Amino acid sequence: MQATSIIFRSFITFRRIPSRIVLSTAAASLILSMGMYTLGQPLYMIALFALLPWMPVMLFESLWKVKHYSWIAIFAVVCVLQIGHVGEHIVQVGALSIANGTLACPPPVDNDLNAQRAVSAGLRPASSSSTGHSASFIVKSDPAGQALMDANGSPVTGPHACGVFGQLDLEIVHLVWEVAGWLLALLLLAQFPRNKWMWAAVVLASIHTVEHLFICYTFFFDPSFVYDGSRQVWGTLASGNIVTAFPLGKEPTILNFYDVAGRFGIAAKNGLIGALFPALNIYLPERPYLHFYYNTLVTAPMVVAFLLELRHSYNQYLAKAMPELGTETLVVATTRLQPRRFKPGETIIRQGERAEHFYIITQGEVTVYWRDARGQEYAVDTMHSGQFFGEIGLYTGEPRTATIRAAGPVEVMMLDCDTFMDLMRDSQGSRESMEQTIRDRLLMRLPARA
Amino acid sequence: MNTSRFKLRPIVLTLLALLVYAGQTLAQGSTKASLADWEARFPLLALIIILVIIVDLIFMLPIIRKLWSQ
């Protein structure tokens, strides 16, 4: 468990983005969200501005991790996105269960029509203009579609139950997300086929995908408008940027199959199973709860699968530099790799100085210089991404035999002397290969090809 | 670790049961489709299930073959 937490901490540490940028981003996120809160913006605006500064940071860090860790990094990104998705569902069921939330999704918008309806109902001054904001609060409605009042005669009000970003609670968004998650789960299964938890996640994701494909078909393509029904009419009231939707009765309309049945899907209350087995219908969960369960049941095994695979993950450049190392050794050595960046012309190691680190080039190009007895320096070679240097001084205990400078922007992964020597001691194959490389370099001054 | 997992399970199960119960309270009367309306869409549902199974098999069969041969 301790080893897993060390590997996990090493994996999630920012490597591409310098600490000062991470701290600046955190500060910007805090300032923007506090600013939105102070300006009286609704929750989704506060959340959006809190997340915005992190997007480029997370993008660049993710790309770096994918380059260094390959599929396990992609796995991590999928898990993070799915956890965020489950978070939205938790907010939804929390609003429904605890906070008198109303399932009017996406929430009514304070547009000209809804504002005018509120004016006509005498709820809003005629002079106030619409804000364009999505309703944060919704007055609950009775079966007639009028405002539900409590014992004191006040309207019963609660938040909308559509997640934080309620305007994204659309069938097409659900479908795209679910299908993408399902296909990504299948791709991950191909990479990690022995992981039982991943198989479980794929099966559950497949079932969930069937639900959403069926629901979406009835939404987009089922044309049967044959059911007499009604739609809720809303008026919207704005207090600054915070909008409350007020029910103003129902208007008769013709509904389609999606409205009356299709939107419940297969396993939710009033869905297919409820229609086939009416006695069972009372026990089936409502759609928001069912989909919360679905997403939790897909995401939980996926996260477990990821953590299990992370225990076997290692840096791809290290593995290519030392292919003879076993998986466990690579995993441990990976946690000790440190990235470092050099500007063009910057000296990485200097001829004659003490050897302290082993370097693997992960980005850019370096030039190898050798200084003769007269002090004349010659460029003897160029090394590229995937190649390594610094092993001669560490292995022999001698001072550096060459100077290496960055030819352009360069990124290297460094291993300290103790870890490098441990790797040489633990792996005979690596030791022999490294000794051959050292012989070749000392004789020919040729770079090793990783 | 085992001890904390043992204590966690009843809490998680209780929360899930509360959510299922809370889910019942949302039920309201509404215009309903008939069983015949659902049955008319069975071929569509079957097609969707077959499609999902085919895509699953396209990914899974090579994996299963590879695991079997190892």
Side-chain angles (χ1 to χ4, degrees):
Chain A
M1 183 58 110
Q2 195 182 8
T4 306
S5 76
I6 290 170
I7 295 165
F8 181 73
R9 274 204 304 272
S10 171
F11 182 79
I12 64 171
T13 300
F14 282 92
R15 302 281 186 187
R16 172 68 182 84
I17 309 294
S19 308
R20 65 180 189 283
I21 304 283
V22 175
L23 288 170
S24 305
T25 304
S29 175
L30 185 64
I31 290 167
L32 284 171
S33 54
M34 282 174 59
M36 286 291 123
Y37 176 78
T38 309
L39 289 171
Q41 291 288 336
L43 178 62
Y44 65 90
M45 290 294 282
I46 297 171
L48 179 64
F49 276 81
L51 288 173
L52 267 175
W54 288 106
M55 287 180 188
V57 165
M58 297 310 285
L59 174 66
F60 283 107
E61 184 67 27
S62 300
L63 289 173
W64 188 94
K65 288 211 186 320
V66 169
K67 192 172 133 186
H68 284 253
Y69 288 90
S70 190
W71 279 96
I72 196 71
I74 296 171
F75 205 161
V77 171
V78 172
C79 284
V80 166
L81 291 173
Q82 289 288 51
I83 288 169
H85 183 198
V86 171
E88 280 283 87
H89 281 276
I90 289 173
V91 169
Q92 180 176 51
V93 298
L96 284 170
S97 313
I98 300 165
N100 269 334
T102 298
L103 201 67
C105 303
V109 175
D110 185 31
N111 53 27
D112 290 342
L113 175 62
N114 291 336
Q116 187 52 46
R117 286 184 181 139
V119 170
S120 301
L123 296 168
R124 180 177 185 147
S127 55
S128 70
S129 52
S130 58
T131 63
H133 279 302
S134 183
S136 299
F137 296 99
I138 299 183
V139 173
K140 295 189 82 66
S141 56
D142 61 19
Q146 299 294 340
L148 187 69
M149 297 297 183
D150 62 17
N152 298 326
S154 303
V156 178
T157 307
H160 68 70
C162 310
V164 172
F165 298 102
Q167 287 299 325
L168 295 179
D169 193 348
L170 303 167
E171 294 293 1
I172 187 64
V173 173
H174 290 300
L175 178 71
V176 168
W177 195 280
E178 289 315 319
V179 171
W182 167 57
L183 292 174
L184 282 166
L186 284 165
L187 284 172
L188 290 169
L189 182 67
Q191 301 303 317
F192 307 105
R194 294 184 184 280
N195 196 310
K196 297 186 194 74
W197 292 94
M198 205 55 225
W199 284 93
V202 164
V203 168
L204 291 158
S206 301
I207 296 169
H208 196 189
T209 299
V210 168
E211 281 267 12
H212 276 285
L213 282 171
F214 179 73
I215 291 170
C216 261
Y217 180 87
T218 65
F219 182 77
F220 286 109
F221 303 113
D222 199 318
S224 52
F225 285 89
V226 294
Y227 306 95
D228 289 326
S230 59
R231 283 198 200 284
Q232 181 68 55
V233 175
W234 300 99
T236 46
L237 292 68
S239 172
N241 293 309
I242 305 298
V243 171
T244 301
F246 203 94
L248 296 174
K250 293 188 177 182
E251 62 183 10
T253 188
I254 305 293
L255 303 174
N256 66 358
F257 182 79
Y258 167 82
D259 293 318
V260 302
R263 62 193 169 103
F264 303 115
I266 298 163
K269 191 188 295 297
N270 299 323
L272 172 60
I273 293 177
L276 288 172
F277 308 103
L280 198 59
N281 196 41
I282 190 170
Y283 299 108
L284 296 174
E286 292 280 348
R287 177 178 161 167
Y289 295 90
L290 176 72
H291 286 259
F292 162 66
Y293 300 147
Y294 268 136
N295 282 296
T296 305
L297 287 172
V298 170
T299 303
M302 199 178 270
V303 170
V304 173
F306 165 72
L307 291 173
L308 289 172
E309 293 303 330
L310 188 64
R311 295 191 308 184
H312 309 294
S313 68
Y314 46 79
N315 189 291
Q316 300 294 308
Y317 288 92
L318 180 65
K320 284 178 193 161
M322 299 189 186
E324 298 85 6
L325 290 176
T327 302
E328 275 188 38
T329 311
L330 281 168
V331 170
V332 172
T334 294
T335 64
R336 297 184 191 158
L337 281 171
Q338 292 295 324
R340 184 124 178 239
R341 277 163 210 94
F342 296 90
K343 296 189 182 89
E346 210 174 333
T347 300
I348 303 172
I349 60 176
R350 204 179 304 276
Q351 185 172 343
E353 70 181 9
R354 198 164 72 100
E356 289 182 348
H357 290 97
F358 172 74
Y359 299 83
I360 305 171
I361 305 169
T362 56
Q363 185 191 332
E365 215 172 76
V366 303
T367 308
V368 183
Y369 297 90
W370 178 73
R371 196 175 61 243
D372 63 16
R374 290 172 298 166
Q376 189 73 27
E377 198 173 72
Y378 303 90
V380 294
D381 207 347
T382 306
M383 298 171 73
H384 309 278
S385 175
Q387 294 180 297
F388 58 81
F389 58 88
E391 74 288 355
I392 297 175
L394 293 178
Y395 205 79
T396 61
E398 297 292 323
R400 295 288 192 196
T401 56
T403 295
I404 295 185
R405 291 197 191 97
V410 162
E411 182 192 73
V412 295
M413 298 298 282
M414 305 187 327
L415 265 183
D416 61 87
C417 177
D418 291 336
T419 305
F420 176 77
M421 293 311 294
D422 285 342
L423 294 180
M424 294 298 104
R425 269 192 292 275
D426 291 348
S427 168
Q428 185 181 347
S430 293
R431 194 167 57 246
E432 288 171 359
S433 174
M434 197 61 66
E435 285 168 357
Q436 183 62 46
T437 301
I438 291 169
R439 275 194 291 273
D440 292 341
R441 283 186 172 179
L442 287 174
L443 285 172
M444 304 290 289
R445 296 199 184 278
L446 284 174
R449 284 182 165 61
Chain B
M1 178 64 185
N2 280 337
T3 309
S4 63
R5 196 164 52 207
F6 179 73
K7 284 181 188 161
L8 199 55
R9 199 174 296 159
I11 298 171
V12 169
L13 288 173
T14 307
L15 279 172
L16 282 175
L18 278 173
L19 283 175
V20 171
Y21 172 75
Q24 313 310 313
T25 63
L26 288 181
Q28 292 178 9
S30 61
T31 307
K32 282 192 165 60
S34 67
L35 189 56
D37 293 335
W38 278 103
E39 286 171 350
R41 285 147 181 97
F42 278 2
L44 163 72
L45 183 56
L47 194 63
I48 289 172
I49 292 172
I50 289 167
L51 175 71
V52 169
I53 289 173
I54 287 173
V55 174
D56 279 345
L57 287 175
I58 287 170
F59 281 86
M60 289 179 181
L61 280 178
I63 298 171
I64 294 169
R65 257 203 299 268
K66 195 171 157 190
L67 287 174
W68 193 262
S69 64
Q70 283 175 354

